Structures are given as C-alpha cells and as structure tokens.
Amino acid sequence: MPNSKPTPVTMDAVYTAPGYLFRRMQQIAVALFIEECKAFDLTPVQYAALVAISTHPGIDATRLSAVIAFDRSTLGNVIERLQAKEYIVRKPAAEDKRVKLLYLTKAGAAVLGDIMPSVDKAQARMLQPLKPGDRKTLLSLLTQLVDLNNEASRVPLRAEDALEHLGRSG
Amino acid sequence: MPNSKPTPVTMDAVYTAPGYLFRRMQQIAVALFIEECKAFDLTPVQYAALVAISTHPGIDATRLSAVIAFDRSTLGNVIERLQAKEYIVRKPAAEDKRVKLLYLTKAGAAVLGDIMPSVDKAQARMLQPLKPGDRKTLLSLLTQLVDLNNEASRVPLRAEDALEHLGRSG
DNA sequence: GCCATATTGTCAGTATACTGTCAATTAAAT
DNA sequence: ATTTAATTGACAGTATACTGACAATATGGC
C-alpha cells in the first residue's frame, strides 16, 4: 500500500457540487425577484401560481400543483395567502364536493399584468453577468436537464394535467 | 395604436424563466441527495456544514455562514441538529465570550467519510441525463454565474473568511 | 348496491430560508 | 475612560418544501 492516507476533505467537495450551485442560484434568483418586485408583495411561488390560475381558470389545487410542479401540501398555504390578498377566489365544484376551483379576481389579473415587467427584469438580471451566447447555452441545458430529471422530484411537472379541468363545469 | 390588446399570458412566462428552472433543479437535486444518502440521515445543508467544520475546525457560526453562504439565522437550527446527532460539539471561545467554536466529533468525521460516495453518486445522477460535454459546459457556466452573482444574495460566499478563526485560540 | 380503492383537501411535523430585532459583548472613536 | 458602533448568537415571524397521515368523497369491480 503506497498510500493509505484518507483523501483530505476540502471545500471543493461542496463548491463544485452541482447541487450546491443550484442551491446558490436558487437563493440568488429569489433575492433578485424579491428586489425587483418589492412593490407588488408577491413571491416567485405566488407569481407562478397566479400565472397558472390565469392560464387555467377553474383549475383545482391538485391540478395546479402538477402544472407548476409544486408540492400539494405547500400549495395549500400559497393558495391561502393569495386568497387573503384577494387575488384569487375559491368556488366549490358542482359535481365533486371535495374540489374547490380557483379563479383570478380583477385585482389578481391587474397585479399579474403590472408585475410582468419587473419579473422580466429580475429574470434578465440573473443571467446578465454571462455573455449573450452563454446565456442561451445555459438556458438550453438547464431546460433539458429539468425536463430529463422530471421524474426525480416528488411532484413531476404534468403540464397536460391542466386540460382535465375543462371537462368539469368550471 | 395598431394593437391595444394585452399580451395573453401563457405558462411559458413560468416555464422558460431561469428562476423557475433553478427552483426545479434545486428540488430535484435535494430529492436525489436524500434518496442516495437516506442511510445517513443527513440533509444537503447539514452535509455542507459538516464539510466546512471538518475543513475549518474551531470555526464559529458567523464565519461558517460566510464559508458556505447560508443564512446565519438558518444556520443556528442546522448547528443544533448536528449537535443533537452528536456529529459536532460547541466550545465557548476563550477570548470572546460571545463566540462558540465548532468541532467535528469522531462520529461526525466517520459519517462524513462514509457518506462521500453516496453524495458523489447523487451529484453525478443529477447531471447524468446530459451528454458528458454538456455536463462540463453547464457546470462551468453555473460556476461562473454563481460567482458573478455572488453579491446578489443575502449571504455572499466569503471563502476567505474561514481563515480568520486561525487567529483565535481555537 | 356494496366494498375496496383512489382522490381531494387538509393538517401535523420537520427542515431550509429570509427579515427584523434583541441582549450581551467587544472594538473603535475621541 | 466613556460613549458609540459593530459583532455574535439567539429569537420571533413569515414563506417555501417534503413526509406521512386523515376524513370526506368518488369511483371501480363485482
């Protein structure tokens, strides 16, 4: 045995791990979103939920969680907060007493229209430090990776689920 | 005004936003870490903290938060849990009554050595779906982006802060 | 129609994260 | 030396996230 010493642990075990880098970028992305959108009192998660409800009026919570890939448990609280801010309303479904359907209010539609430029600014800022070509490359690889790893998270994205609610009385 | 209609909102406003993609990848990264490391009862955050304490024995909580770029408030709870698992100990500093210095226990060093292969497996799995060349490209761009956006988060990474504790009695 | 199964929303429990605040303590200014 | 400012660890409050469980309700096989 020429060398039986254990490999010394360095911080590179953390700094070069993709998981650590994704965590950092998520922190940075949220910070930039909050900073650019501080006039609107909406978090990134609440924004995504609003967009999905706007795109799929009358969707229910379970479908919504599949469409934006957020945990159903978590989403309950998000919906409560959006309701408290009077950006959405919940109406019980006619043919299924378990289900509550989600709709944007006028105020919700208004805030969604108003916040868009700030959201775009935040999204642009987080890629800003890269050269334009690199931005495209990163976005492309990131999109592929999220798609190819879709099943790995607890709540895989099921965009097509959004259409199911159209069969309801919605 | 040739067209005064508002732009219709689609889910692309969410799906193509880098912030959303980073959130998804973070969810996926944590899920894969937990799955690969379920035998060890360590979260990604706890793992990073253990590595940092191993690399910088006698570091204090504030320095630790700078070294792994975690919020100081959050880190308090993380340290408590690592202490409860008896992977670290806290000793009051001699020359500064406010400070508590952090050290790995034997059990902490052992679990860190044992968990490494599983951590590596998890990190490899999350990039696995990409071609090897694309993995390198993504990792390179991600590393650059995190570095260039360092100041944007509440707790920027300050790797050099780790050296300050060497001036203590530690 | 009845029973096993699945779905829906909800909740309790744990673990990150960030904001803001605080007391104790130390360092800096003068 | 005394006032001022900064640092440290802690805490309360809010907001994601995930696990596992639950009652109410629907649905399927038979």
Side-chain angles (χ1 to χ4, degrees):
Chain A
M1 275 204 228
N3 188 353
S4 62
K5 272 190 282 189
T7 310
V9 180
T10 71
M11 284 309 292
D12 273 2
V14 172
Y15 294 156
T16 67
Y20 176 77
L21 295 168
F22 286 128
R23 175 182 300 274
R24 284 288 289 139
M25 270 318 296
Q26 217 268 317
Q27 289 178 339
I28 290 163
V30 172
L32 291 175
F33 184 104
I34 297 295
E35 190 181 323
E36 288 292 342
C37 302
K38 58 175 173 289
F40 298 98
D41 188 33
L42 271 188
T43 66
V45 167
Q46 290 166 14
Y47 163 76
L50 268 196
V51 169
I53 296 171
S54 165
T55 312
H56 310 292
I59 199 171
D60 63 277
T62 298
R63 229 71 46 209
L64 179 60
S65 97
V67 165
I68 53 182
F70 290 165
D71 193 273
R72 228 178 26 161
S73 304
T74 307
L75 206 52
N77 301 324
V78 176
I79 288 172
E80 261 178 35
R81 282 173 215 120
L82 287 175
Q83 200 173 14
K85 293 177 188 178
E86 303 195 331
Y87 290 157
I88 63 172
V89 288
R90 284 210 272 193
K91 298 181 185 174
E95 9 49 271
D96 190 334
K97 291 176 191 168
R98 296 169 304 178
V99 174
K100 298 175 184 173
L101 306 178
L102 304 169
Y103 298 91
L104 236 60
T105 62
K106 282 234 173 80
V111 81
L112 197 49
D114 290 347
I115 202 178
M116 285 293 188
S118 300
V119 173
D120 291 345
K121 222 177 290 178
Q123 301 304 316
R125 266 184 73 189
M126 66 188 75
L127 297 186
Q128 191 74 31
L130 293 181
K131 289 178 299 206
D134 286 348
R135 286 174 217 160
K136 278 195 180 173
T137 304
L138 177 63
L139 212 47
S140 163
L141 291 176
L142 200 54
T143 304
Q144 288 177 53
L145 197 58
V146 166
D147 186 50
L148 294 169
N149 274 318
N150 191 35
E151 301 304 317
S153 63
R154 185 192 186 188
V155 186
L157 178 68
R158 308 269 186 228
E160 69 280 8
D161 276 20
L163 306 177
E164 288 181 20
H165 76 288
L166 296 178
R168 299 181 185 279
S169 75
Chain B
M1 278 205 232
N3 187 354
S4 61
K5 272 190 282 187
T7 311
V9 180
T10 70
M11 283 309 292
D12 274 2
V14 172
Y15 294 155
T16 68
Y20 175 77
L21 295 168
F22 286 128
R23 175 182 300 273
R24 285 288 289 139
M25 269 318 295
Q26 217 268 319
Q27 289 178 340
I28 290 163
V30 172
L32 291 175
F33 184 104
I34 297 295
E35 190 181 322
E36 288 292 343
C37 302
K38 59 173 174 289
F40 297 97
D41 188 33
L42 271 188
T43 67
V45 167
Q46 291 167 11
Y47 163 76
L50 268 196
V51 170
I53 296 172
S54 165
T55 313
H56 311 291
I59 199 171
D60 64 276
T62 298
R63 229 71 48 208
L64 179 59
S65 98
V67 166
I68 51 182
F70 291 165
D71 193 272
R72 230 180 24 166
S73 304
T74 306
L75 207 51
N77 301 324
V78 176
I79 288 173
E80 261 178 35
R81 281 172 215 122
L82 287 174
Q83 200 173 12
K85 293 176 187 177
E86 303 194 333
Y87 290 157
I88 64 171
V89 289
R90 284 209 272 192
K91 299 180 184 172
E95 9 50 272
D96 191 334
K97 292 176 191 167
R98 297 168 304 178
V99 174
K100 298 176 184 172
L101 307 178
L102 303 170
Y103 298 90
L104 235 58
T105 61
K106 283 234 173 77
V111 82
L112 197 50
D114 291 347
I115 201 177
M116 284 292 187
S118 300
V119 172
D120 291 345
K121 222 177 290 178
Q123 300 304 316
R125 264 184 75 188
M126 68 188 74
L127 297 187
Q128 191 74 30
L130 292 181
K131 289 178 300 205
D134 285 349
R135 286 174 217 160
K136 278 194 179 173
T137 305
L138 177 62
L139 212 47
S140 163
L141 292 175
L142 201 53
T143 304
Q144 287 177 54
L145 197 57
V146 165
D147 186 51
L148 294 168
N149 274 319
N150 192 34
E151 301 304 318
S153 63
R154 186 192 186 188
V155 186
L157 178 68
R158 307 268 186 230
E160 69 279 7
D161 276 20
L163 305 176
E164 287 180 23
H165 76 288
L166 295 178
R168 299 182 185 279
S169 74

